[in-house]
Amino acid sequence: MTEGRHCQVHLLDDRRLELLVQPKLLSRELLDLVASHFNLKEKEYFGITFIDDTGQENWLQLDHRVLEHDLPKKPGPTLLHFAVRFYIESI
């Protein structure tokens, strides 16, 4: 059986990216993978969130492995959201 966990990342344009997240994958590497779909160069303004079993939205910590987070235990793919983390007030 393949190791890992099926995840679905909801992108900013309402597309969904289906992934098999391996146990050693860092959150930073997942963000890099998702950002590459947009040719995004300045990733520091974005992040990936998930909603835990209590309904609380949480950010993936970039220096931790994705599967180390308290992801929901529901059957089916884990839902993650690519989101804007920081806004620029002016350019």
Side-chain angles (χ1 to χ4, degrees), residues 43-58:
K43 297 176 287 236
E44 61 271 7
Y45 299 109
F46 300 90
I48 298 178
T49 66
F50 67 95
I51 297 175
D52 64 19
D53 288 327
T54 65
Q56 182 70 33
E57 186 174 28
N58 299 280

Side-chain angles (χ1 to χ4, degrees), residues 21-22 31 65 79:
V21 174
Q22 298 297 319
L31 180 61
R65 291 186 176 118
L79 301 178

Side-chain angles (χ1 to χ4, degrees), residues 11-13 27-28 30-32 34-35 38-49 59-62 81-88:
L11 304 175
L12 295 172
D13 59 1
S27 299
R28 180 179 322 283
L30 178 60
L31 180 61
D32 289 344
V34 173
F38 294 105
N39 291 327
L40 193 60
K41 305 287 187 239
E42 298 178 6
K43 297 176 287 236
E44 61 271 7
Y45 299 109
F46 300 90
I48 298 178
T49 66
W59 291 99
L60 290 183
Q61 300 300 310
L62 296 180
H81 301 273
F82 181 68
V84 177
R85 190 170 189 141
F86 302 105
Y87 297 93
I88 301 174

